[in-house]
C-alpha cells in the first residue's frame, strides 16, 4: 500500500448539481465525474446524538467525500501542524478529504445524516487511529510518499 501525504489545501468543497422541482430537489454524484475517484463504498452516519463527535483518524490511501445529507456538522481536518474547519449544512455540496489528513466530525445537529463516499472498500489496515502515530508519519524527513 502506498501512502501519499496531502496538504490541507488539497481538501476542498465540491458543489454538486441541483435539479430543483416543486416535488423536491435532486442531487446526483457520479464516480470519477463529480468526485475525483471511483466510488467503491458508501456509508452513512445517522442517529448521532446532538453535539456528538465521530472520526478521529486518518486514511493512508482512501479518499472520501463527505456530505451533510441532512442537518449539519463540522469537519476538522489536521495535517499534523495546522487545521481547517469546514461547516457542512447543505445536501448539494460536500467536502473532498484526500489521503493522510486527520479528520474529526464534530457538533452534529440532532437528526443529521452524514453521507460518505469512499474510494475503496472498508480496510482497517488503511486507518491510522493513533494521533501520535499519525504525527510521526507526516513528520518523517522523507514524508511525501511512504511505501
Ligand atoms: P469508524 O470508521 O471508526 O467510525 P467513525 O470514524 O465514524 O467514528 O467505524 C466504526 C466501526 O464501523 C468500526 O468498527 C469499523 C466499522 N466500519 C465497517 O465495518 N465498515 C465501514 O465501511 C466503516 C466506515 C466502518
Amino acid at each position: 500500500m502506498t501512502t501519499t501525504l496531502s496538504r490541507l489545501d488539497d481538501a476542498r468543497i465540491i458543489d454538486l448539481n441541483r435539479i430543483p422541482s416543486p416535488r423536491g430537489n435532486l442531487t446526483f454524484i457520479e464516480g470519477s465525474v463529480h468526485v475525483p475517484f471511483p466510488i467503491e463504498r458508501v456509508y452513512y452516519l445517522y442517529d448521532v446524538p446532538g453535539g456528538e463527535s465521530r472520526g478521529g483518524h486518518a486514511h493512508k490511501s482512501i479518499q472520501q467525500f463527505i456530505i451533510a445529507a441532512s442537518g449539519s456538522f463540522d469537519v476538522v481536518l489536521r495535517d499534523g501542524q495546522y487545521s481547517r474547519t469546514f461547516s457542512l449544512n447543505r445536501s448539494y455540496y460536500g467536502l473532498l478529504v484526500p489521503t493522510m489528513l486527520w479528520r474529526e466530525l464534530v457538533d452534529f445537529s440532532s437528526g443529521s445524516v452524514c453521507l460518505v463516499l469512499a474510494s475503496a472498500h472498508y480496510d482497517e489496515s488503511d486507518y491510522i487511529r493513533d494521533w501520535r502515530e499519525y504525527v510521526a508519519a507526516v513528520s518523517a524527513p522523507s514524508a511525501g510518499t511512504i511505501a
Side-chain angles (χ1 to χ4, degrees):
M1 179 193 300
T2 300
T3 300
T4 305
L5 299 190
S6 302
R7 293 172 301 130
L8 276 177
D9 285 349
D10 296 328
R12 60 188 165 90
I13 295 289
I14 297 178
D15 290 314
L16 301 167
N17 292 292
R18 263 187 291 172
I19 303 189
S21 159
R23 296 174 296 132
N25 301 332
L26 184 151
T27 288
F28 56 92
I29 306 167
E30 294 177 352
S32 305
V33 176
H34 304 105
V35 293
F37 55 80
I39 298 165
E40 290 289 335
R41 177 167 51 112
V42 176
Y43 66 92
Y44 38 97
L45 302 169
Y46 53 98
D47 293 344
V48 180
E52 192 52 84
S53 304
R54 303 283 312 217
H57 58 252
H59 282 287
K60 296 174 189 169
S61 66
I62 291 176
Q63 300 177 66
Q64 295 188 327
F65 185 65
I66 303 177
I67 304 156
S70 184
S72 65
F73 50 86
D74 290 348
V75 183
V76 182
L77 297 182
R78 299 181 197 280
D79 63 1
Q81 242 188 319
Y82 302 105
S83 72
R84 283 179 76 184
T85 299
F86 296 85
S87 293
L88 301 184
N89 53 22
R90 292 285 185 273
S91 33
Y92 50 79
Y93 65 80
L95 176 64
L96 176 69
V97 182
T99 57
M100 282 301 278
L101 292 179
W102 189 268
R103 87 285 318 272
E104 284 161 39
L105 282 64
V106 302
D107 286 340
F108 278 83
S109 64
S110 62
S112 57
V113 178
C114 169
L115 177 64
V116 184
L117 314 180
S119 64
H121 289 187
Y122 174 74
D123 175 7
E124 185 59 34
S125 71
D126 193 73
Y127 283 76
I128 299 179
R129 293 188 182 274
D130 181 81
W131 172 251
R132 279 184 292 185
E133 183 188 336
Y134 171 75
V135 171
V138 294
S139 307
S142 60
T145 300
I146 304 162

